[in-house]
Amino acid sequence: GSDKFEKDVKTFVDDIGYAADKMGKVLQYLGLLPSAPEAPLAGNAAAADNPRVGTPSTFDKLFHPGSGFDFSQVEKANKLPPGFLTALGMEEYNLNPAAYHTKNGITYKGLFQLGPGVQHDYGVTLPYDPQQNATAAGMEMRDYLAKYKGNIAEAVAAENWVPGNLDKDIAT
């Protein structure tokens, strides 16, 4: 191994770790993997026996930007499990509609961190618009679930890791 090869392997391993962590959290949220119960924060009025209901509080709007979004219509239209987009989006910068990040020269934008290819494929003209972003994410996940025969773990991995990378991994 050259230095470049070792760096590439480390990047690959880091990316796999990130993808596995993200998939695990989504699968736990959907109830497909067991999860350890989270202890409520000290002094938090929304303890485990008092779940939040109704309109998001000002605290939630400031510190949990995604708590006010309802994706049920997008999920229903794309035959996704209830709560799927919320779980997925919470892993994408806490459902912050203004979030963006750049990796390898590609900028990912909005609630579901859509890259330029996804924006183009699903007709997104305003990637920071929550409705356009969520609709595209729902259609993308619908297509991945069809491609991977309903396998949620593989669909989430494809969304995070790019389908070509996942396909190569599955083939080996």
Side-chain angles (χ1 to χ4, degrees), residues 1 4 8 10-12 32 59 104 106 122 131 145 150-151:
K4 181 178 179 347
D8 287 348
K10 182 180 179 344
T11 300
F12 175 76
L32 300 172
F59 177 85
N104 299 326
I106 299 171
Y122 297 101
Q131 183 65 46
L145 284 167
N151 186 316

Side-chain angles (χ1 to χ4, degrees), residues 77-137:
N78 292 289
K79 297 180 173 69
L80 300 174
F84 183 84
L85 288 176
T86 299
L88 185 66
M90 290 304 287
E91 293 303 313
E92 297 287 3
Y93 293 89
N94 200 28
L95 281 171
N96 180 350
Y100 68 92
H101 81 278
T102 302
K103 182 175 180 180
N104 299 326
I106 299 171
T107 301
Y108 301 86
K109 301 175 182 178
L111 289 172
F112 294 93
Q113 296 295 283
L114 304 180
V118 173
Q119 293 172 40
H120 176 267
D121 291 349
Y122 297 101
V124 175
T125 56
L126 301 168
Y128 294 109
D129 174 67
Q131 183 65 46
Q132 284 191 30
N133 201 285
T135 299

